[in-house]
Amino acid sequence: MQAVRFHEFGSSDVLRLEDVERPVPGTGQVLVRVAATSFNPVDDHIRAGVMAEMLPITLPYVPGIDLSGTVAELGADVTGLEVGDRVVAMLPLDSAGGAAEYVLAPAESLAPAPRTIELVDAAALPLTGLAAWQTAFELAELKPGQTVLINGAGGAVGSLVVQLAVDAGAHVTAVDAPQHADRLRGYGADRVVDPLDLDAGPAAVGGPFQVVVNHVRVSPEELAQLTDYVADGGAAASTAGPIPEDPARGVRSASLWVRSDGAQLAALVAKVDAGKLRVHVAAHRPLAELAAVHEDAGAGRLLGKTVVLAP
């Protein structure tokens, strides 16, 4: 089978399309015929070696944390799945493997694929969906009726947080560039503001807010400014660096380390099929272009969530 691998850390040039042995599922594993994976910024960090100490991996390594595909073979002790089932998963970061024709996935990471969208587009959901769910409901503990400011609302994770918050009954102020405004209003955001408007302070954008969620990688000083946007007793959650707490005002903060969770992924899939969660895919690229996708991401040329199609 074909797979993209890297044998050493480095730039996008280390990614090579190679012929490798098709893996065989062990106990508790499922062999999946890959329909697609997708690019996530963490893929770039893993390939570059930035996360080598935090996340040890074995080389050569097949990138691609997201997975959509069809069950091809079941390992021992796997129940609840059958050959031919359409599935999605967030693969373990330390082993990954989605950028290939076939991949081994832990059975507990798999969820039924959405029925209402194309199987390849479902590859855009797992990591970003789980990051959104865990940020909104585990870290921020978002509740109905709360006011929430989402910084970076137009991005892959932010877009899903907006929709999950709206569906949960929160009042959403979405912060992102004007080109995202119509889409964010379509997701149900009560207000969409330009990032430059944050410079005027919380009151200028309807704050302070009971919950502040950040998906924009900015300086520590800019992260510290977001603390002022959190109301007394409120919560801040971030996927892009820590927002400082303010114990004197009862403001707590938490940062995300996303984890695979088949049950949460199944809940996200149910929301997609119920029309409560839309997955936005900006581009489809073939597996042979994965190195170019990484290069484009590093140069800021990716316009949004990019799905990578298996051969």
Side-chain angles (χ1 to χ4, degrees), residues 150-185:
I150 302 171
N151 191 31
V157 178
S159 294
L160 296 177
V161 173
V162 169
Q163 296 176 74
L164 289 173
V166 169
D167 184 55
H171 305 288
V172 175
T173 295
V175 182
D176 216 313
Q179 64 261 34
H180 300 292
D182 288 344
R183 179 163 58 90
L184 292 169
R185 290 190 187 95

Side-chain angles (χ1 to χ4, degrees), residues 25-41:
T27 300
Q29 292 183 317
V30 176
L31 181 70
V32 178
R33 175 65 168 96
V34 179
T37 185
S38 79
F39 176 81
N40 293 287

Side-chain angles (χ1 to χ4, degrees), residues 77-90:
D77 299 335
V78 174
T79 60
L81 289 168
E82 295 183 2
V83 172
D85 285 351
R86 290 159 39 108
V87 293
V88 290
M90 174 185 160

Side-chain angles (χ1 to χ4, degrees), residues 6 8-11 14 42-55 57 59:
F6 59 86
E8 64 277 333
F9 298 118
S11 69
V14 302
V42 69
D43 294 320
D44 180 85
H45 303 332
I46 293 171
R47 186 215 68 239
V50 173
M51 302 180 68
E53 290 189 12
M54 183 187 308
L55 186 72
I57 64 171
L59 298 175

